[in-house]
Amino acid sequence: MSLIVHLIKKNKNNIVFFTGAMGALVPVLYSMKRIPGGHVGVKEDWSGNVYPDIYDTSEMVICIPFYQRLVHMRTIPVRKRFIKEFETKDGKNVEVRLLTRLQAKVHWMPEIYQGFGKDYGRSILERDCTLDIGQVVSQYSFAELTRGSADRLDEITDDLKARLMDTCHVNKVKMSVEDTTIVFVDPDAEPED
């Protein structure tokens, strides 16, 4: 025991230096964050304020530990599926199945994150596009949407795609019209195998 006390007294300066260096180095290493490929980074502090800076792929970012966090936002186009029932003009419910590809505009990422969160595609479809789909569906009868002619359904889906494109444009998100599929289905029908 006296040997340990003797070594501590002898190396007191070294132990203090080592403890101080590790105490400073650990928070510095903890504050460095790397952005993965296909993403950009957005800083957010603990009170929810989003900083206007955007950090690119493979960039090393320094965040203040326990005060700031780095949010990874995907820049690769995302395929989103949206299925919901809406009421038609004649009071019946029709199920709308939407499959689309969304991609956020990189220079608007802080605003997109602040308004819609990390899963911006799902939030935009559920919040804003639901209104447009509901307005279009309420203009047509159940028979027109489920059993109408192909030309009439193409007109309805083209109108709906144009509205969804406007909604996405306002929210700074690109929507691929070519990859967007809209189908109107009877929710009470038996599923086909």
Side-chain angles (χ1 to χ4, degrees):
M1 190 68 158
S2 66
L3 179 63
I4 294 173
V5 172
H6 174 70
L7 287 175
I8 290 174
K9 286 181 181 179
K10 183 179 175 184
N11 294 314
K12 183 178 177 183
N13 291 341
N14 292 337
I15 292 172
V16 169
F17 177 74
F18 177 77
T19 305
M22 285 294 121
L25 184 64
V26 167
V28 168
L29 290 176
Y30 183 67
S31 69
M32 293 192 292
K33 310 286 184 191
R34 181 173 297 280
I35 314 279
H39 292 74
V40 295
V42 176
K43 269 190 196 178
E44 179 183 33
D45 64 15
W46 65 358
S47 60
N49 298 326
V50 178
Y51 293 87
D53 307 325
I54 302 169
Y55 302 98
D56 200 14
T57 299
S58 300
E59 193 171 340
M60 187 68 77
V61 181
I62 296 178
C63 296
I64 301 170
F66 307 112
Y67 178 68
Q68 296 174 333
R69 72 184 189 110
L70 188 67
V71 180
H72 303 268
M73 298 285 292
R74 187 174 176 160
T75 57
I76 302 168
V78 185
R79 281 190 77 83
K80 288 293 181 182
R81 180 175 295 141
F82 180 72
I83 300 172
K84 191 169 182 177
E85 289 185 17
F86 294 93
E87 190 172 327
T88 60
K89 182 169 68 173
D90 52 359
K92 295 182 180 178
N93 285 342
V94 67
E95 185 175 278
V96 178
R97 297 180 181 177
L98 170 70
L99 182 64
T100 188
R101 186 179 303 268
L102 300 172
Q103 181 180 11
K105 296 178 181 174
V106 173
H107 51 283
W108 293 103
M109 279 295 191
E111 288 183 16
I112 292 170
Y113 175 72
Q114 198 165 17
F116 297 104
K118 190 172 180 176
D119 189 13
Y120 58 86
R122 171 72 46 206
S123 298
I124 288 173
L125 287 175
E126 287 179 354
R127 279 201 254 166
D128 294 348
C129 293
T130 300
L131 298 172
D132 291 329
I133 296 171
Q135 287 176 355
V136 170
V137 168
S138 67
Q139 295 174 2
Y140 301 100
S141 68
F142 179 80
E144 284 178 300
L145 294 172
T146 56
R147 294 182 297 273
S149 67
D151 293 336
R152 185 70 176 141
L153 284 175
D154 285 343
E155 288 177 17
I156 295 169
T157 56
D158 288 344
D159 178 35
L160 193 51
K161 285 179 186 179
R163 286 178 176 230
L164 295 176
M165 282 291 293
D166 289 342
T167 300
C168 288
H169 182 72
V170 166
N171 292 314
K172 287 96 174 163
V173 174
K174 291 184 257 182
M175 183 179 103
S176 175
V177 178
E178 298 82 28
D179 293 334
T180 301
T181 307
I182 301 171
V183 179
F184 302 101
V185 180
D186 182 2
D188 299 328
E190 293 292 322
E192 296 177 10
D193 292 330

